[in-house]
Amino acid sequence: TTLIPLELRMLGARPEPWTADVVISRHAGLLGNVTDELANGRFVARHGAALLKKLNWFHPGPGEPVVTLDSALDGEALSAPILDVFNAFRGPVRFGPEDLEPAYRGDADAVRRAEALAAAGDDGARPEEIGSNNWVVAPRLSLSGNAIMANDPHRAITVPSLRYYAHLVGPGWDVIGGGEPTIPGISIGHNQYGAWGLTVFAVDGEDLYVYRTRPSRPAMYWHKGRWRTMTSLTETIAVKGRAPVQATLRYTIHGPVVYEDSVRHLAYAVRAAWREPGSAPYLASLRMDQAKSWDEFRVACAYSNIPGENMVWAGADGTIGWQAVGIAPIRPNWSGLVPVPGDGRYEWSGFATIDQKPHSVNPAPGFIATANNNLMPPGYPYRAYHGWAWSDPYRFARISEVLGSGRRFSVADMARLQVDYLSIPARTLVPMLAPLTGRSEATERARRSLLAWNDVLDRESAAAGLYEAWQRRLIANVVDLVVPAEAREDARSSVSMKLLIDWLTAPGAGFGPSPLAGRDALLLRSLDEAVGELTRIAGPDQATWTLGSFHFVRIAHAMASSVPVALRAQLNVGPWPRGGDANTPGMTGGGPNQGSGASFRIVVEAGAWDNAIGINAPGQSGDPASPHYRDLFDLWKDDRYFPVMYSRAAVEGVTEMRTALTPARR
């Protein structure tokens, strides 16, 4: 019983002996845009295609993507709960009733202030603000003369940790790094020949099809000039404490039917590239783990279909390279940004090959950086094979600014860049206040504080805390000014910081008869509101408005809300003040609590393998009783690292414990 994890004991579940017939599926994650596609379609139906393009940074060309709805589609019908069942798995698993005491009820001032900010309307980071960083540096830009690889994937901050460090050694294997416990091999790390890392590359592998169904026989749909019959499967689902439930699952030529509208005689299905053969998520990591050169690594990349990634390589021979991977459907006559009829006029015509996906080796600048930004080369002929929606460019811009500075870098320099909190949006927006004057003494004091600030979102900085409050009010006020009232509810969460800064830099007619004067008035009004908000929440002393007093990390265990209060402290980790935001290389999200960011980091000097450093928060163990459940949190919260030893001698020198696993005799 003592070997059964705490969570299973709490649930009264007893695991069966392990068997070989295990199926691990990570499909429908990081894979496409079907949810956004439906949201775009609904927006176009309500507000028009022109406004959708105005409020979204779809790029690059040639030409703008087509987002108009096909005339055969009923825009009003798109308001139905089409993807509710498809997206049900994305919701949190709830282990206790909703009226239980919240998982954390501390008296920390940061939590009190953050709750007040949430009540004031700060709902956290937008989807386009979430991503990852990686880069590789050529030997001529490193102090040691070795190539360097750095990677910090930004995902949910969880306990147990999302990722896991491992060192796999065996015949043909000597690879170290991290991955997720449910996926094979090491997806980020190094062997004795090279180091590699990943960030998400915008490949759109999902489409929502709308079918006209036959009123007298709803399982039939119109496709290419004739009625087809859906494939139907009946499943019996066992339900604890209740009678089994029978479910009928239907499929069209494109994929599973996710919703049927019996009133309008419509059906909706999702075509997903991840249903194609060879799309097991991250399975190509097994080939990458054994690559001995850039050429071999690129061959391995050809098998990496799920998810879309920017793979970077730093070899012991000094080669650096980048290869975009991911199964990319070819859409000959539409953008993939809105739903389309399933009548046969919108069909994929194959998939992009590895040579048709962007790549680079040993570029002239001496470094390659990716941060979920658009890296399509000018004139790239296969543009339409990939996605149109990318992250805001500010993390990438700051990383490129540092790497392109002409300096030579060490592993320690790369670690500092991973947790760099300089905000390019702040550096752009704050100078707009220089010629203005605050409308009150408190606002003028705040204005002067921002102008004297270094644009670094340090957790101890009061100016940084003020800036974040001002930025929040700017976002809300600009959206209210630029977006028509009837579209604000649909648009508020999708307007990127890039567009907001563009609108403020070159204000248009929406800012009034004198756009510059209207822009300046909005800047000051937003600062007034930020000062008022912080005064109400934290008091009038502006020196106490530090970013860390409003922005923190508390990692809540999924079952914390259903256990006694005394046990919650054992399960949860934090809180702790944090710096940064969604647009700094050290990405910590836009909400009060850091729910996403880099829990895992690694920096590797190719060839000098024992010089690698990394972190994995809050710890390696998933057992709350283990000393390694949270022991890395103190390093991580202060942006520190541990050595990632590789050679046999180095590993033996730091070994804490040995565990021998012996197969049981039957």
Side-chain angles (χ1 to χ4, degrees):
T1 303
T2 57
L3 295 179
I4 298 177
L6 170 66
E7 294 87 345
L8 295 186
R9 297 201 305 269
M10 292 166 57
L11 293 171
R14 189 177 184 86
E16 295 290 328
W18 185 86
T19 59
D21 58 339
V22 175
V23 176
I24 297 175
S25 177
R26 195 171 172 277
H27 283 43
L30 302 178
L31 297 175
N33 75 336
V34 69
T35 302
D36 291 337
E37 196 171 298
L38 177 57
N40 290 341
R42 288 170 172 169
F43 191 96
V44 170
R46 295 167 187 164
H47 313 295
L51 186 58
L52 180 73
K53 286 201 283 192
K54 176 181 179 181
L55 302 181
N56 286 271
W57 188 32
F58 297 134
H59 65 289
E64 294 183 345
V66 175
V67 294
T68 53
L69 292 176
D70 188 285
S71 60
L73 293 185
D74 180 350
E76 185 179 344
L78 295 176
S79 297
I82 295 164
L83 292 177
D84 284 13
V85 172
F86 181 82
N87 286 326
F89 82 99
R90 301 179 192 274
V93 178
R94 303 195 183 280
F95 294 98
E98 291 298 314
D99 58 355
L100 283 174
E101 183 180 355
Y104 181 81
R105 184 71 72 187
D107 58 358
D109 194 43
V111 176
R112 178 183 63 80
R113 293 182 177 191
E115 288 176 345
L117 285 177
D122 179 18
D123 58 358
R126 296 181 296 276
E128 66 270 16
E129 295 175 336
I130 298 172
S132 306
N133 303 324
N134 68 12
W135 59 84
V136 284
V137 172
R140 64 182 177 85
L141 292 185
S142 79
L143 286 172
S144 65
N146 295 317
I148 299 175
M149 189 282 297
N151 194 189
D152 53 301
H154 304 164
R155 295 282 302 286
I157 304 293
T158 62
V159 53
S161 177
L162 175 70
R163 300 192 186 268
Y164 187 82
Y165 264 96
H167 190 172
L168 306 179
V169 180
W173 291 82
D174 191 358
V175 58
I176 192 169
E180 299 171 42
T182 58
I183 61 178
I186 299 298
S187 55
I188 303 167
H190 72 83
N191 57 24
Q192 62 267 53
Y193 304 102
W196 58 91
L198 55 82
T199 68
V200 168
F201 177 80
V203 173
D204 175 9
E206 293 176 339
D207 280 312
L208 183 63
Y209 285 91
V210 187
Y211 308 89
R212 180 165 57 94
T213 58
R214 197 167 189 170
S216 60
R217 297 182 62 185
M220 300 187 74
Y221 63 100
W222 187 257
H223 180 262
K224 290 192 173 180
R226 68 184 180 92
W227 292 106
R228 289 179 177 265
T229 301
M230 299 176 187
T231 301
S232 296
L233 300 175
T234 300
E235 298 280 358
T236 300
I237 304 169
V239 181
K240 184 176 181 179
R242 294 170 52 187
V245 174
Q246 283 197 332
T248 299
L249 310 177
R250 291 191 170 127
Y251 299 82
T252 71
I253 193 172
H254 297 118
V257 175
V258 294
Y259 185 75
E260 295 179 74
D261 188 333
S262 59
V263 175
R264 295 182 175 91
H265 308 297
L266 299 172
Y268 300 80
V270 174
R271 183 169 190 186
W274 42 264
R275 297 181 67 241
E276 297 293 320
S279 292
Y282 290 100
L283 190 61
S285 295
L286 298 176
R287 289 178 180 265
M288 296 176 186
D289 291 354
Q290 299 185 75
K292 297 180 180 180
S293 66
W294 162 248
D295 290 336
E296 288 190 13
F297 183 76
R298 192 158 180 250
V299 169
C301 285
Y303 294 88
S304 187
N305 289 327
I306 298 295
E309 303 278 16
N310 292 291
M311 302 301 307
V312 294
W313 167 273
D317 63 357
T319 302
I320 62 170
W322 160 61
Q323 175 67 59
V325 305
I327 188 167
I330 299 172
R331 298 176 180 86
N333 59 328
W334 85 105
S335 66
L337 287 170
V338 293
V340 292
D343 57 14
R345 292 180 293 126
Y346 297 92
E347 301 292 334
W348 296 352
S349 59
F351 301 94
T353 66
I354 192 68
D355 289 326
Q356 292 171 334
K357 298 169 187 175
H359 54 276
S360 176
V361 59
N362 295 327
F367 69 89
I368 303 169
T370 85
N372 316 114
N373 57 298
N374 167 43
L375 289 174
M376 297 289 183
Y380 177 65
Y382 307 107
R383 170 65 196 85
Y385 297 179
H386 304 292
W388 296 94
W390 307 83
S391 290
D392 281 329
Y394 303 113
R395 287 182 289 113
F396 171 76
R398 174 57 178 165
I399 293 165
S400 299
E401 178 178 81
V402 173
L403 296 180
S405 64
R407 296 171 48 205
R408 289 178 175 263
F409 301 101
S410 66
V411 168
D413 292 325
M414 299 296 88
R416 280 189 288 272
L417 183 54
Q418 285 186 330
V419 296
D420 183 286
Y421 295 135
L422 185 136
S423 168
I424 288 183
R427 198 170 66 188
T428 305
L429 292 171
V430 168
M432 295 181 186
L433 293 170
L436 310 180
T437 302
R439 299 173 177 178
S440 69
E441 181 181 347
T443 302
E444 176 60 15
R445 188 162 65 251
R447 186 188 72 89
R448 292 180 180 276
S449 175
L450 288 174
L451 289 170
W453 174 48
N454 62 0
D455 305 316
V456 175
L457 295 173
D458 186 272
R459 68 189 183 197
E460 301 296 332
S461 169
L466 171 62
Y467 169 77
E468 286 294 306
W470 180 51
Q471 178 180 264
R472 281 192 299 272
R473 295 311 310 152
L474 273 177
I475 291 171
N477 289 334
V478 171
V479 167
D480 286 347
L481 193 67
V482 173
V483 181
E486 65 275 10
R488 287 173 194 160
E489 185 176 349
D490 295 328
R492 188 179 299 277
S493 65
S494 64
V495 178
S496 75
M497 178 63 71
K498 165 69 167 58
L499 289 179
L500 287 158
I501 288 180
D502 286 348
W503 293 335
L504 288 167
T505 302
F511 286 81
S514 176
L516 284 176
R519 187 272 311 271
D520 291 346
L522 184 141
L523 294 171
L524 286 177
R525 175 163 64 88
S526 299
L527 187 57
D528 270 338
E529 293 168 353
V531 169
E533 181 181 86
L534 295 181
T535 300
R536 175 176 55 82
I537 294 170
D541 185 357
Q542 296 186 12
T544 68
W545 297 351
T546 59
L547 178 58
S549 66
F550 303 102
H551 187 45
F552 65 99
V553 60
R554 174 184 58 81
I555 315 176
H557 191 284
M559 297 184 69
S561 63
S562 61
V563 302
V565 174
L567 187 55
R568 292 176 191 169
Q570 183 181 352
L571 296 178
N572 293 339
V573 181
W576 190 259
R578 296 290 283 160
D581 70 4
N583 290 303
T584 53
M587 201 283 285
T588 61
N593 184 38
Q594 180 185 352
S596 63
S599 63
F600 176 97
R601 296 188 179 101
I602 189 168
V603 182
V604 182
E605 185 180 348
W609 306 119
D610 287 334
N611 289 348
I613 59 174
I615 193 63
N616 187 38
Q620 279 281 96
S621 174
D623 181 2
S626 168
H628 301 298
Y629 179 74
R630 66 177 74 230
D631 61 327
L632 296 176
F633 182 72
D634 280 348
L635 289 174
W636 178 84
K637 69 180 176 58
D638 292 327
D639 296 333
R640 297 165 62 201
Y641 297 71
F642 62 79
V644 181
M645 300 301 186
Y646 179 70
S647 68
R648 171 65 66 176
V651 170
E652 295 282 359
V654 295
T655 296
E656 174 188 310
M657 181 179 67
R658 297 175 185 268
T659 301
L661 303 178
T662 305
R665 293 185 178 181
R666 293 189 179 274

